Amino acid sequence: MAQKTPVTLEVIEKAIGNQKEELYKLKKNVKIFETEKDYLDTMKNQVASLEKAEKELDQLK
């Protein structure tokens, strides 16, 4: 039978510390995701602009 760990201040502090570390990692990953999303949005806009310019050049031919 599994033995229960007594809930002590030390156990609670360790659990809080682990949760803070997980939260930090999550925030870091969200920041990376947001940065990549901004980059992809910029690339999407540039591609659209280039496609528009290409169509205009084709019309001039």
Side-chain angles (χ1 to χ4, degrees):
M1 192 179 233
Q3 187 178 10
K4 289 188 176 184
T5 303
V7 179
T8 63
L9 183 58
E10 181 181 340
V11 171
I12 293 170
E13 287 173 342
K14 185 175 180 183
I16 290 172
N18 290 340
Q19 290 300 312
K20 283 182 179 180
E21 185 177 325
E22 290 299 316
L23 180 61
Y24 170 77
K25 289 177 185 176
L26 181 60
K27 285 180 179 180
K28 186 173 139 184
N29 288 337
V30 167
K31 182 66 177 171
I32 290 169
F33 174 78
E34 289 172 345
T35 301
E36 289 177 350
K37 183 183 178 303
D38 290 344
Y39 175 75
L40 290 174
D41 288 343
T42 300
M43 291 295 104
K44 180 182 174 184
N45 291 337
Q46 288 180 349
V47 167
S49 177
L50 289 171
E51 287 174 342
K52 182 180 176 184
E54 186 178 36
K55 284 180 184 178
E56 290 174 359
L57 286 173
D58 286 344
Q59 289 176 354
L60 294 175
K61 288 184 180 179

